[in-house]
Amino acid sequence: MAELTALTIAEARDGLKKKSFSAAELADAHLAAMEKARALNAYVQETPERAHAMAKASDARIATGKAGALEGIPLAIKDMFCTEGVRTTASSRILENFVPTYESTVSAQLWRDGAVLLGKTNNDEFAMGSSNETSYFGPVTSPWRRKGANTKLVPGGSSGGSAAAVAANLALGATGTDTGGSIRQPAAFTGTVGIKPTYGRCSRWGIVAFASSLDQAGPFAKTTRDAAILLRSMAGHDPKDTTSVDRAVPDYEAAVGKSVKGMKIGIPKEYRVDGMPPEIEKMWEQGASWLKAAGAEIVEVSLPHTKYALPAYYIVNPAEASSNLARYDGVRYGLRVPGRDVIEMYEKTRAEGFGPEVRRRVMIGTYVLSAGYYDAYYLRAQKVRTLIKKDFEDCFKAGVHAMLTPATPSAAFGIGEKGKADPVEMYLNDVFTVTVNMAGLPGIVVPAGLDGQGLPLGLQLIGRPFDEEAIFSLGEIIEKAAGRFSAPKWW
Ligand code: GLN
């Protein structure tokens, strides 16, 4: 049998059912692998005691025939999800010692179904970033390297720890949050599968708020099937989040392997951006021909407002972030740096508690929301957002079931290589992913190939609202055709 950490969730589920191994053995194999992989910095906290206790309880339930859908499956949780009694930091100094007294709805649903917590994963501070380099706990190193080189590469961000953990076999699956691409971009960089479901599909309750009209939770997994298994547990209506939608959660796994015959797939011509590496262009065409061979119809479509998505996102996002982060004032949560009076205490706490990217977003956000600029920036960005959404709606109305696009404009880059002098250089990474958050649509990224340097590249499928099933069916076709990729072990 394959190493326990190399299994997929579906395989582990079978093995546990057949009693080929126990949940305790499965958890132990992962905890041992995590210990050996500390150089990757994927976890900000390992929770071996909790993992042992949960695995033991899973084994007891398996023995009595009461196993849940994820019984005994060891998972990593992004440190944006509040975990009761387990420190939750958002990878920020300001929350360095914050231990929540409650559990996020999404993680609670995973535990309800029997999953086992291995630890909390690293991310960009407050999920602001595309490389996991803004974390207070330091960057995550990708398990992937360029052929013949040992340059340390980023795993993408903001959910870099979750992506690296799954890619390096340090968890069978992981949670992420995606506000502008933070699940899909790291999935593309690490050869894993990541899905951002429709806005409202998962509850945001208990997730550290970043930009509330864009934030969604979703899973990372080794395969499309595994992502479908995880999303079924994570999704659902929650009265504690009024933006979560009261709609039955389908059996997403049943969509994996379903025929896509007759589905109309749009290729948005505006995604053919200047300077796109020819390898990505080629892979995109290859993806379209795989879907065509499976019986889908490929059509060129136009999303004319695409070019405004990035600038509009980088107004809406900081505006909401600046408002959400106002709560970190040294009074109620986390760090407090004393001052002569309360104003100085606020100032010192926030200056020392937040890193440079977070401070930048708070300043931009405050500026675009301020009297006199609100109409010129924030209101205008909201109008652009409506137009972006309408572009997609028009295509869907014309019969398109899903869109196929590249996931990122490049493969993974080196730690320290991008965005130092100009933060916009980093923001440009999100060019293919932010539109999906602006429109509230579901988007999945699946690995589609390796580039000339041996690094994974991903393709994105964007679906109609609440039609995650279609993109699971389509994603699996690409995954099957491309094959799976794993990083050669060096750590
Ligand atoms: N890279 C984007 C940003 O920095 C997206 C982050 C995210 O999805 N959390 O805003």
Side-chain angles (χ1 to χ4, degrees), residues 40 88 105 229 240 295 315 341 351 370 403 414 423 428 453 474:
L40 302 182
T88 299
T105 298
I229 294 171
K240 288 188 290 206
I315 288 173
D341 52 26
S370 57
M403 319 265 174
L428 288 172
Q453 313 215 66
L474 293 161

Side-chain angles (χ1 to χ4, degrees), residues 13-41:
R13 186 177 61 183
D14 287 353
L16 287 164
K17 209 190 251 158
K18 285 197 223 127
K19 308 226 168 56
S20 312
F21 47 83
S22 66
E25 285 167 327
L26 191 58
D28 277 339
H30 283 90
L31 292 167
M34 286 154 63
E35 232 180 280
K36 287 197 203 106
R38 296 219 172 109
L40 302 182
N41 203 23

